[in-house]
């Protein structure tokens, strides 16, 4: 999965996400790790979840390792990214709760 490229618009530098280095680092990590084609995720429970293009199923420890940020920094940045409408945490929607 190290092949390929992504496009970033120069206008990204005007966003609030750009202003915080941890938020920007995590945002880029999420973009790099997101599916580029539809796929599936095998949950530990045995459930198979569809994962569409542009989506990612991950964990905070996994994001901390991939981004080089601490666990707490990832949690804080995820909150910032959600408030900035950069991402949607729809886990509860997917499992029907």
């Amino acid at each position: 999965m190290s092949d390929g490229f992504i496009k970033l618009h120069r206008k990204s530098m005007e966003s609030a996400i750009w202003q915080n280095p941890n938020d920007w680092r995590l945002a880029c990590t999420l973009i790099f790790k997101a599916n580029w084609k539809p796929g599936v995720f095998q949950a530990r429970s045995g459930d198979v979840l569809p994962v569409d293009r542009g989506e990612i199923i991950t964990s905070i420890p996994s994001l901390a390792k991939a981004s080089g940020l601490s666990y707490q920094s990832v949690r804080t940045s995820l909150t910032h990214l959600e408030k900035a409408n950069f991402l949607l945490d729809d886990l509860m929607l997917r499992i029907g709760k």
Side-chain angles (χ1 to χ4, degrees):
M1 179 150 151
S2 60
D3 299 21
F5 63 93
I6 61 167
K7 290 183 183 181
L8 292 176
H9 199 283
R10 285 186 174 95
K11 195 169 187 173
S12 301
M13 293 176 66
E14 298 171 12
S15 75
I17 296 168
W18 174 262
Q19 304 304 314
N20 182 317
N22 288 349
D23 293 355
W24 181 251
R25 185 178 194 112
L26 186 61
C28 288
T29 300
L30 289 165
I31 292 169
F32 293 145
K33 292 179 68 72
N35 279 12
W36 60 275
K37 64 180 181 178
V40 295
F41 176 78
Q42 180 75 40
R44 290 182 189 160
S45 65
D47 293 339
V48 177
L49 302 171
V51 184
D52 292 329
R53 182 178 178 192
E55 293 181 336
I56 181 174
I57 296 179
T58 189
S59 66
I60 293 174
S62 173
L63 288 173
K65 183 176 180 181
S67 66
L69 297 172
S70 70
Y71 184 93
Q72 187 58 50
S73 292
V74 169
R75 284 183 50 139
T76 301
S77 289
L78 284 172
T79 301
H80 294 166
L81 295 175
E82 196 168 1
K83 286 180 181 176
N85 292 320
F86 178 83
L87 60 85
L88 172 65
D89 178 3
D90 68 348
L91 176 63
M92 300 312 282
L93 297 173
R94 286 198 175 234
I95 60 175
K97 293 186 179 179

